[in-house]
């Protein structure tokens, strides 16, 4: 996407933001997305879509606990008040639904609504089947095998194999009122503008594609402890970082995602709040190991690249808003394990490994990196990747060409086959990832989830890693789960499918008007606690 087009989008967002305000309180948020996430109940645009147009409006049987700030978010009951594995079948999970929950349109949430939505994602011949949402849901819950209604308040969901961490997949399945689909003439494109009804603490009231989505407080929200304090929320896509800064300084928005790191000191001096905090997030390069003739098939090349980058220099460049990454997990994580390789800047070791693989001054390693100009969790992708491009060239003689695309195009590329034309010859993708739980680890790296079926873009297959994930699936205690995750993570370091760059500290900047925000250790946020006087 060209810079003039990005600024045009930003200007449209500004005009929307400066429309006359009503007397009630409004929180105005500038997202990094180039367009509003889809509004039918399972948003696109990655986890930024889930952050702002997923959980605040549409909920699942299981939700994230965003009340804790001293540890990574765990799961809590959502539209199901409890769940358990069937005593006679470890592949079957029984979900007991809450009483007296209603969608924003007044219709009841019950077992029929659950089955209707699961058919929407997993039954391709159902009238309500929604292919884009189905693709996202199937990739995030790849082990779901079946489901059925027991009674109005009970459903079962079956996994393909016994999986102890299955609820960490169910957390990504959100529910829309079936009445929304009927009101739109059974047309999902029209559902997106109705707007669609969920069960969450906010409801969608206004949708203007590429400009904004407006939410209103749901006064009848079923969870009295999480009813919203602010009356309205306006979400605006402003993908260009400097345009977000300008909007915040001009008072046209109250909150911006991912402020440029070089602007943070001056924002603080001007009285804006800049929050940072550790959360489960890695900013990596994903290797295209499966492409024909890919040099990344050689593990020596993948290890070499992990020794060739200056992570500490990049953290300094980012004004300390990140931490060096030497694995998928952080080094102080209990599940990091004891891998044989401890990556650091070591150009001599990197060059030696490249030489063993046949690369050097006479035959330099050449890579093409596909990246986006913005997007959920992408931090500051252009300057960061230009930094890496330069450090790889200086340290190890590696040539990297940059191919910039829109964020959703990049997300789609992650699900492409290794030699797909949509990759434009890319040997590497820059897409950030959550590291929240073992289900995500299995989803990104398990050999059963190779793209296009799942999120294993690298086409990486490791028997020892798969065995560790099998142990995790069968774990009967937290200690057994942790041990399996440690064993799996050691393989991710010693046979790296990714280039581990940094862990994001999740900076966002806010007006002093914004009260009550405390960053959870999660990709997601609790908008219900925020007030704007």
């Amino acid at each position: 996407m060209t810079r003039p087009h990005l600024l045009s989008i930003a200007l449209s967002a500004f005009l929307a933001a400066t429309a006359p305000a009503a007397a009630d309180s409004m929180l105005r948020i500038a997202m990094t997305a180039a367009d509003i996430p889809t509004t039918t109940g399972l948003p696109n645009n990655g986890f930024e879509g889930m952050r702002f147009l997923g959980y605040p409006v549409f909920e699942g049987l299981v939700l994230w606990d965003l009340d804790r700030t001293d540890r990574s978010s765990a799961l809590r009951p959502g539209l199901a008040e409890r769940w358990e594995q069937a005593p006679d079948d470890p592949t079957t999970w029984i979900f007991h639904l809450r009483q007296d929950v209603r969608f924003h349109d007044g219709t009841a949430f019950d077992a029929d609504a659950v089955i209707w939505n699961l058919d929407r994602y997993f039954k391709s011949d159902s009238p309500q089947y929604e292919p884009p949402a189905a693709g996202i849901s199937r990739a995030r819950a790849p082990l779901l095998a079946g489901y059925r209604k027991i009674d109005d308040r009970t459903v079962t969901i079956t996994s393909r194999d016994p999986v102890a961490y299955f609820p960490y997949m169910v957390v990504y399945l959100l529910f829309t009122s079936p009445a929304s689909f009927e009101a739109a003439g059974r047309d999902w494109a029209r559902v997106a503008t109705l707007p669609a009804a969920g069960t969450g603490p906010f409801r969608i009231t206004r949708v203007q594609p590429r400009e904004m989505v407006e939410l209103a407080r749901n006064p009848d929200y079923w969870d009295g402890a999480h009813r919203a304090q602010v009356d309205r929320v306006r979400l605006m896509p402003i993908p260009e970082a400097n345009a977000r800064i300008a909007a915040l300084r001009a008072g046209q928005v109250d909150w911006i995602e991912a402020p440029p790191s070089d602007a943070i000191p001056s924002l603080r001096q001007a009285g804006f709040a800049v929050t940072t905090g550790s959360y489960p997030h890695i900013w990596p390069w994903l290797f295209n190991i499966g492409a024909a003739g890919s040099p990344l098939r050689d593990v020596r090349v993948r290890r070499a690249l992990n020794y060739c980058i200056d992570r500490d220099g990049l953290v300094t460049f980012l004004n300390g808003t990140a931490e060096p990454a030497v694995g998928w997990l952080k080094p102080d994580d209990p599940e990091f394990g004891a891998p044989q390789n401890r990556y650091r800047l070591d150009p001599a070791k990197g060059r030696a490994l490249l030489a063993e693989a046949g690369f050097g001054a006479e035959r330099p390693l050449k890579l093409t990196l596909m990246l986006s100009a913005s997007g959920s969790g992408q931090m500051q992708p252009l300057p960061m990747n230009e930094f890496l491009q330069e450090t790889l060239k200086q340290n190890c003689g590696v040539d990297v060409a940059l191919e910039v695309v829109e964020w959703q195009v990049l997300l789609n590329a992650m699900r492409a086959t290794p030699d797909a034309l949509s990759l434009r010859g890319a040997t590497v993708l820059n897409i950030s990832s959550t590291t929240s739980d073992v289900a995500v680890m299995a989803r990104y790296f398990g050999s059963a989830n190779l793209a296009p079926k799942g999120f294993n873009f690298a086409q990486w297959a490791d028997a020892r890693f798969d065995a560790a994930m099998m142990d995790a699936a069968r774990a009967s205690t937290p200690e057994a789960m942790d041990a399996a995750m440690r064993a799996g993570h050691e393989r991710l370091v010693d046979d790296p499918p990714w280039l581990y760059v940094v862990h994001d500290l999740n900076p966002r900047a806010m007006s002093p008007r914004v009260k009550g925000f405390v960053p959870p250790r999660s990709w997601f946020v609790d908008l219900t606690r925020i007030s704007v006087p």
Side-chain angles (χ1 to χ4, degrees):
M1 181 180 292
T2 64
R3 185 179 182 87
H5 185 50
L6 292 174
L7 294 177
S8 174
I9 294 170
L11 179 60
S12 296
F14 292 168
L15 293 175
T18 55
D24 53 7
S25 60
M26 177 182 284
L27 172 67
R28 300 162 300 170
I29 298 175
M31 303 180 292
T32 67
D35 195 359
I36 62 169
T38 46
T39 55
T40 57
L42 204 292
N44 63 4
N45 274 284
F47 274 5
E48 186 173 61
M50 293 289 282
R51 179 184 301 139
F52 293 125
L53 275 169
Y55 296 118
V57 181
F58 306 94
E59 299 176 301
L61 302 176
V62 182
L63 295 175
W64 291 103
D65 183 355
L66 302 177
D67 291 340
R68 298 289 297 265
T69 60
D70 58 342
R71 66 186 183 193
S72 294
S73 296
L75 302 180
R76 69 175 177 92
L79 295 177
E81 59 187 7
R82 69 183 191 280
W83 59 85
E84 71 270 354
Q85 283 178 290
D88 57 344
D89 181 4
T91 67
T92 297
W93 292 77
I94 305 169
F95 292 87
H96 304 273
L97 308 185
R98 291 188 182 278
Q99 301 278 347
D100 302 321
V101 175
R102 306 194 79 79
F103 289 103
H104 300 144
D105 58 16
T107 59
F109 169 79
D110 55 19
D112 290 331
V114 172
I115 300 303
W116 186 93
N117 276 275
L118 294 177
D119 281 349
R120 164 193 174 192
Y121 300 137
F122 297 99
K123 188 177 180 182
S124 57
D125 61 350
S126 66
Q128 66 269 32
Y129 185 66
E130 185 185 9
I136 296 171
S137 297
R138 292 180 183 208
R140 289 176 179 166
L143 298 182
L144 189 148
Y147 43 86
R148 66 187 181 95
K149 172 184 174 180
I150 303 301
D151 55 43
D152 285 347
R153 307 249 60 87
T154 314
V155 298
T156 64
I157 303 180
T158 304
S159 58
R160 193 169 61 229
D161 303 299
V163 187
Y165 52 79
F166 189 62
Y168 281 96
M169 297 183 182
V170 176
V171 74
Y172 297 114
L173 302 176
L174 306 186
F175 298 98
T176 301
S177 167
S180 296
F181 186 65
E182 296 298 330
R186 298 192 169 194
D187 181 348
W188 282 113
R190 292 184 60 198
V191 173
T193 60
L194 268 179
T199 59
F202 292 93
R203 57 187 177 86
I204 300 174
T205 58
R206 188 179 172 198
V207 178
Q208 290 184 211
R210 301 194 76 83
E211 291 188 10
M212 67 90 168
V213 176
E214 197 163 290
L215 313 180
R217 177 179 179 270
N218 176 11
D220 301 317
Y221 183 48
W222 59 267
D223 185 352
H226 289 91
R227 287 187 182 143
Q229 297 185 42
V230 70
D231 294 306
R232 291 189 293 158
V233 177
R234 182 175 288 164
L235 303 168
M236 292 171 284
I238 305 182
E240 212 281 324
N242 288 325
R244 291 196 299 276
I245 287 283
L248 182 65
R249 289 186 183 278
Q252 294 164 323
V253 298
D254 308 299
W255 162 330
I256 64 172
E257 294 287 284
S261 55
D262 59 359
I264 288 176
S266 64
L267 284 172
R268 285 179 167 146
Q269 289 175 359
F272 294 99
V274 180
T275 67
T276 58
S278 176
Y279 77 124
H281 174 220
I282 183 162
W283 192 93
W285 283 6
L286 283 59
F287 295 140
N288 188 347
I289 298 171
S294 172
L296 297 165
R297 293 188 177 193
D298 192 324
V299 68
R300 294 171 297 185
V301 174
R302 305 199 301 271
R303 287 175 182 159
L305 292 169
N306 273 288
Y307 282 110
C308 287
I309 61 171
D310 184 3
R311 298 171 177 85
D312 291 331
L314 183 55
V315 168
T316 300
F317 176 75
L318 293 170
N319 270 321
T321 58
E323 302 168 304
V326 294
W328 191 68
L329 296 171
K330 297 183 180 184
D332 60 355
D333 193 295
E335 281 72 57
F336 186 90
Q340 296 178 9
N341 289 269
R342 193 64 176 233
Y343 298 121
R344 61 195 180 279
L345 177 58
D346 190 340
K349 186 163 187 171
R351 287 180 180 271
L353 285 166
L354 288 174
E356 289 179 20
F359 297 98
E362 299 298 320
R363 187 191 173 216
L365 176 64
K366 296 182 179 181
L367 303 173
T368 297
L369 169 68
M370 181 179 282
L371 67 147
S372 64
S374 64
S376 174
Q378 294 301 90
M379 303 179 68
Q380 307 300 323
L382 285 173
M384 290 172 70
N385 281 302
E386 289 169 351
F387 181 98
L388 292 175
Q389 181 186 43
E390 182 65 21
T391 193
L392 283 167
K393 180 66 173 179
Q394 289 183 353
N395 293 329
C396 293
V398 177
D399 293 327
V400 180
L402 305 183
E403 176 76 21
V404 183
V405 299
E406 194 176 55
W407 172 228
Q408 192 60 45
V409 173
L410 183 61
L411 284 178
N412 293 341
M414 187 182 184
R415 296 286 305 281
T417 53
D419 292 300
L421 293 177
S422 61
L423 290 177
R424 308 182 191 184
T427 45
V428 189
L429 302 184
N430 170 219
I431 299 180
S432 63
S433 161
T434 182
T435 59
S436 57
D437 55 83
V438 67
V440 175
M441 179 185 277
R443 187 164 78 233
Y444 278 113
F445 304 111
S447 62
N449 297 316
L450 303 182
K453 179 181 178 181
F455 284 124
N456 187 343
F457 168 78
Q459 305 284 310
W460 182 75
D462 182 88
R464 289 162 62 184
F465 176 85
D466 286 344
M469 292 301 95
M470 183 64 71
D471 289 342
R474 295 172 176 170
S476 58
T477 66
E479 293 77 15
M481 182 81 74
D482 291 346
M485 198 168 179
R486 280 194 298 273
H489 189 263
E490 288 170 358
R491 296 305 302 151
L492 294 181
V493 176
D494 288 332
D495 188 1
W498 292 2
L499 177 68
Y500 304 115
V501 184
V502 292
H503 298 287
D504 184 17
L505 289 181
N506 203 18
R508 46 175 57 97
M510 300 178 183
S511 161
R513 298 175 62 242
V514 178
K515 307 296 183 184
F517 176 72
V518 178
R521 298 186 67 173
S522 171
W523 276 70
F524 310 111
V525 295
D526 184 358
L527 296 178
T528 67
R529 299 184 182 280
I530 296 169
S531 62
V532 182

